[in-house]
Amino acid sequence: MTFKLFRNIHRNLRYLAYLYLILLSINASSQIRIAFIDGLSGPMANAGEASLAQFKFAADNFINNNGGILGQQLQFIPFDNKGSPQETVVALKNATDQGIRFVTQGNGSGAAASLIDSINKWNERNPEKTVLYLNYGSVDPTLTNEKCSFWHFRFDANSAMRLEAMTNYIKQDKTVKRVFIIGQNYAHGQQVSNLTKQMLREKRADIQIVGDDLHPIGQVKDFSPYITKIRESKADAVVTGNWGNDLALLIKASKDSGLKVKFFTFYAGSIGSPAAIGDSGNGLVYEVTDWHRNLYSKYPANQYEKFASNFNLNHSQNEIYTMRMVTLVQMFSKAAYKARSLDPKLIAYALEDMTLDAHNGKVKMRKEDHQLLQPLHIAAFGPVDNKSIIVGLEGTQYGFKTVSTLDLNQTTLPSTCRMVRPN
C-alpha cells in the first residue's frame, strides 16, 4: 500500500513537472527574449542595474504598450557576468541553453570582445539557432574594426567618434594647454589614452600631455593619490573615459581636494557622477554624449522628455542618463517588421543601412561595420537657471547644457572592417 501510494505521488509529480515545462514553453514562445548580460553584482553593479531598468522601461513604453513586435512582448532577461569576460561566456551559455537568441551588453569592452568571439563560434556550430549581439555601450573601436562581426551591432558612438567630437571642442579652448589622461586599465581605457594623444597632437600640437595613468577597473576606492599626481603635473584639463563608480569616485576625490581643472569625460551624466560633482563642477566638467537630461526639457511634449520624466518618477534612485536603450529597441522593432521575422540572421540583414529619426536626430546603422552613426553633443555642467538648464540631476541644483553639437557627418569616421556575411 505504501509503495502504491509513493508510485502514484511520483507519477503525479512527473505529470506536474511536464505540465510546468509545457506552460513555460508556451509563455516563452509568446515573448521575444533578449538576454541582458552585464555586471549586476560587484563594484560596477549600479551601472548594470541602471541599464537594465532603462531597457525594461524603454521596452514597455515604446514597444509593449503599443502591441509589441509582431504581436509579441519584448522582455529583457538579466544574466550577471560580474563584470568579467570569463563570466560573460558562462552567462551566454546559460542564455543559449534557455533558447534565447538575442543578447545585449554594454559595460566593458573586454566582455564585449568575449561575446563576439563566443557568438561567432556558436553560430558556426549552430547555423539553425544563431544568436545576435546588440551592443548598447562597449565602445572600443576595434569591436567594429579588426574584430567586426556580422553578428554584432553597436548602438553607441565608439571611443574614436566620441574623442573626435571632444578634441574638436578642446581644440577651440585656448585655456587648455596641459592635459592629464587617466583611465581604466583595459581595452577601452587604453584606446582613450592612445587616441587622445594622437588627436591632440594632430589638432593642437602646442598642448602638452603631462600625465597618462591607467588604474585597475572597479578596484580603486580612493582616487586621492591620482588627484595629487594631477595637481603636481600642473594640468589644466583631464581627459577620462572612466565610467561607473570609477568616474564618480575620481570626481569626488577631485572635489574633496579642491582641485580646479576641467574634466572632459564620456560619462559625467551617468549614475552617481552628478551628485559627486555637486557645486564644484560649475563650468569645469564636460561630457560628450548622444543625449542629456536638459536636451528637451524646454519641450515637455517631446516623447523623449516624457519618457525621461516618467522614468525618473518611477526610479527616483536611478535617474536616466542615456537614450541609447530607446534607439536599440526602436531599431530592433523596425528590423523585425522589415524582415517579417524574428530570425536573428534576417533581423541582422534588415538592420544594415537602416535609418531612424531618433532622439538625437537622424541615425544610420552603417552596413560596412555595424556601427551606428549619429549626432553627438558636448555638454557642460552648471547650475539650474531655468533657461539652458531646467532640470537638476540626482537631487542637486546642477545639470548639463549643450555647448556644441556635431551632426552625423561630423562624427563619422572610416572603418577598417572586412565583414564576412553568411549565405
Side-chain angles (χ1 to χ4, degrees), residues 181-206:
I181 304 168
I182 184 169
Q184 296 150 318
N185 193 11
Y186 75 111
H188 165 59
Q190 294 158 12
Q191 286 281 5
V192 171
S193 171
N194 294 334
L195 288 167
T196 300
K197 288 181 286 190
Q198 174 191 325
M199 290 181 178
L200 287 180
R201 186 166 57 246
E202 293 170 353
K203 299 174 185 181
R204 280 279 306 275
D206 61 302

Side-chain angles (χ1 to χ4, degrees), residues 256-306:
D256 291 345
S257 74
L259 181 66
K260 297 293 183 183
V261 299
K262 291 182 177 180
F263 275 83
F264 292 95
T265 79
F266 284 22
Y267 305 113
S270 64
I271 183 169
S273 296
I277 298 168
D279 57 3
S280 68
N282 186 12
L284 293 176
V285 177
Y286 298 80
E287 70 167 343
V288 55
T289 183
D290 60 301
W291 176 87
H292 63 85
R293 188 64 182 83
N294 282 285
L295 197 59
Y296 300 119
S297 56
K298 293 179 183 177
Y299 312 105
N302 179 280
Q303 64 173 328
Y304 300 108
E305 171 59 22
K306 285 182 178 179

Side-chain angles (χ1 to χ4, degrees), residues 240-356:
T240 182
N242 276 17
W243 55 273
N245 277 344
D246 283 344
L247 179 61
L249 292 174
L250 174 66
I251 291 179
K252 182 180 184 301
S254 175
K255 176 184 176 180
D256 291 345
S257 74
L259 181 66
K260 297 293 183 183
V261 299
K262 291 182 177 180
F263 275 83
F264 292 95
T265 79
F266 284 22
Y267 305 113
S270 64
I271 183 169
S273 296
I277 298 168
D279 57 3
S280 68
N282 186 12
L284 293 176
V285 177
Y286 298 80
E287 70 167 343
V288 55
T289 183
D290 60 301
W291 176 87
H292 63 85
R293 188 64 182 83
N294 282 285
L295 197 59
Y296 300 119
S297 56
K298 293 179 183 177
Y299 312 105
N302 179 280
Q303 64 173 328
Y304 300 108
E305 171 59 22
K306 285 182 178 179
F307 173 79
S309 297
N310 289 337
F311 181 90
N312 288 354
L313 283 174
N314 289 276
H315 302 80
S316 58
Q317 302 302 314
N318 184 10
E319 291 185 4
I320 192 167
Y321 64 90
T322 179
M323 285 285 175
R324 295 192 302 274
M325 290 72 169
V326 173
T327 299
L328 190 154
V329 300
Q330 288 176 325
M331 294 189 80
F332 178 82
S333 175
K334 186 176 179 180
Y337 278 104
K338 180 180 177 182
R340 298 181 183 178
S341 171
L342 292 171
D343 179 85
K345 182 168 73 173
L346 297 181
I347 287 181
Y349 276 118
L351 279 169
E352 292 189 326
D353 277 340
M354 177 177 286
T355 60
L356 180 76

Side-chain angles (χ1 to χ4, degrees), residues 373-385:
L373 309 178
Q374 61 183 309
L376 293 173
H377 305 282
I378 305 294
F381 196 74
V384 170
D385 58 9

Side-chain angles (χ1 to χ4, degrees), residues 350-370:
L351 279 169
E352 292 189 326
D353 277 340
M354 177 177 286
T355 60
L356 180 76
D357 291 326
H359 64 277
N360 52 345
K362 187 173 184 178
V363 303
K364 179 180 180 180
M365 183 59 74
R366 185 163 56 184
K367 178 180 179 179
E368 177 185 353
D369 58 351
H370 296 181

Side-chain angles (χ1 to χ4, degrees), residues 120 148-151 349 368 370 417-423:
N120 284 343
C148 69
S149 166
F150 175 80
W151 305 105
Y349 276 118
E368 177 185 353
H370 296 181
C417 171
R418 296 293 179 265
M419 183 74 70
V420 176
R421 291 176 171 78
N423 293 329

